[in-house]
Amino acid sequence: MSHTIAPGKAAPSAPPAQPNLSDLRLAFSHGFRVSADEAAVAAARREVPAVARGWGVPLTDETFSDLGLLSSEVITNAIRHTNAPCAVVMRWTGTRVRVEVTDVSPVRPKPRHGSLDAEGGRGLLLVNALAADWGSIDDPAGKVVWFELGPSDGTPPPWSTPGKWTITTDSGSATSGYLPAWAEDDPTEVNVPLDQLTERLAGINHRNFFEGPMLPLTAPDVWEGVEEDAVFEGSVDCNPYDPDPGLRVPVVNLQVCVGRWILGLDPHGLAEVAAKLHAHADFLEAKVRPALVAAREDWAAHQPPAQQRSPASGP
């Protein structure tokens, strides 16, 4: 589960006392706001590893350096592509430092193909190369891009039990639930303020992403030119505490294209969408494509040669 803060609101910081690393159930978090000025990124780059060092987390000097570098890259992307402030939340999970950057854009990032030395878009290439894990999720404020640094062997936090999550409050009460094997995140957390338990439970979202085919998309009213992006990608989601009982069981959410979704599909609904896509693919191949070929041949046969040239081809 990702806990985020809206831009302009600070998350509670960890107590100043050093954590007892023999008891990794102590989970610390720290949040801050970064203004819409790339000059502010330098301060954020220093703050993230400094806070992690203050917690006494057992990371190498190289990992602390990577922590500042990747924070800088993700924060820079958030500011550069939104021209708005972003919010940063970091926490120690017991095995990794997790950094979450929330910005106001709903467009989730995709790494570009290229080298780490390429100009532009190198941020996600670095994150992909150096982070133990990373990803992005939708958020009411826009989206969250997160990464984790620490052991890369997938070792779960020592308090995590396979097939079960547990949220323990600062008063000692514990709430547990089933953790599916397919879920990409474990909402297990300790020392949660009792008055925040309801919010934590409401935010639990067991999720597993799947990709869609990349196609050239254009939105003349939004951006210029053509951009490659995925269509009909999405996720399997389950929100066990959602007010809607239909979302307390796994459903599929499909992003038709950037910013356009088909939500809450049960197996029957997903089958209907798949059947319609199959039928439409058959229609495109069996009917539309031959009609297009015939139309182009007819057009070429009836147009004077001068009118068949592209305007960009010149005289």
Side-chain angles (χ1 to χ4, degrees):
M1 175 177 63
S2 293
H3 306 308
T4 61
I5 55 176
K9 297 182 180 180
S13 297
Q18 293 291 320
N20 177 5
L21 294 178
S22 66
D23 182 7
L24 293 179
R25 289 177 179 269
L26 290 174
F28 295 97
S29 64
H30 174 73
F32 59 95
R33 178 178 179 273
V34 181
S35 63
D37 180 359
E38 292 192 19
V41 176
R45 177 171 181 161
R46 294 190 296 269
E47 181 169 353
V48 172
V51 169
R53 286 184 184 275
W55 292 342
V57 299
L59 302 179
T60 64
D61 288 342
E62 182 180 3
T63 302
F64 279 118
S65 177
D66 290 344
L67 186 60
L69 173 62
L70 299 191
S71 298
S72 172
E73 295 291 347
V74 176
I75 293 169
T76 297
N77 280 348
I79 293 173
R80 184 172 294 165
H81 295 298
T82 64
N83 295 315
C86 66
V88 180
V89 175
M90 53 183 295
R91 66 185 179 96
W92 169 242
T93 71
T95 56
R96 294 176 179 175
V97 174
R98 180 181 177 96
V99 177
E100 301 176 354
V101 179
T102 304
D103 65 49
V104 298
S105 170
V107 180
R108 289 169 48 200
K110 293 184 180 297
R112 299 179 185 176
H113 299 291
S115 69
L116 294 180
D117 298 325
E119 288 294 329
R122 76 172 192 135
L124 291 181
L125 288 171
L126 285 169
V127 172
N128 192 55
L130 299 177
D133 197 8
W134 76 279
S136 62
I137 59 174
D138 298 323
D139 186 84
K143 70 170 176 299
V144 180
V145 178
W146 60 270
F147 69 87
E148 294 180 351
L149 279 171
S152 59
D153 58 2
T155 304
W159 61 82
S160 178
T161 302
K164 180 181 178 181
W165 58 263
T166 302
I167 296 178
T168 305
T169 68
D170 54 7
S171 66
S173 63
T175 303
S176 298
Y178 172 60
L179 181 63
W182 49 264
E184 295 183 348
D185 204 4
D186 184 347
T188 293
E189 196 171 356
V190 298
N191 293 334
V192 172
L194 184 60
D195 60 356
Q196 296 182 19
L197 177 61
T198 300
E199 176 186 354
R200 291 291 203 272
L201 295 176
I204 292 177
N205 179 19
H206 301 312
R207 172 171 288 176
N208 188 286
F209 290 102
F210 54 86
E211 297 182 350
M214 298 292 292
L215 292 175
L217 304 181
T218 184
D221 295 334
V222 181
W223 70 76
E224 295 182 359
V226 175
E227 295 185 4
E228 288 279 332
D229 214 323
V231 299
F232 283 99
E233 67 177 1
S235 56
V236 179
D237 291 270
C238 180
N239 300 73
Y241 290 88
D242 197 280
D244 181 356
L247 299 181
R248 297 175 196 165
V249 296
V251 297
V252 161
N253 295 318
L254 289 175
Q255 182 173 237
V256 180
C257 59
V258 178
R260 301 291 185 264
W261 290 82
I262 301 174
L263 300 175
L265 291 167
D266 61 17
H268 176 72
L270 183 59
E272 285 189 336
V273 171
K276 290 178 180 179
L277 291 177
H278 279 300
H280 194 61
D282 291 342
F283 172 71
L284 291 176
E285 180 63 29
K287 300 292 185 180
V288 177
R289 186 174 181 279
L292 175 61
V293 171
R296 288 166 64 95
E297 291 174 348
D298 176 73
W299 185 262
H302 291 84
Q303 283 293 101
Q307 295 184 17
Q308 294 180 31
R309 287 198 295 266
S310 166
S313 63

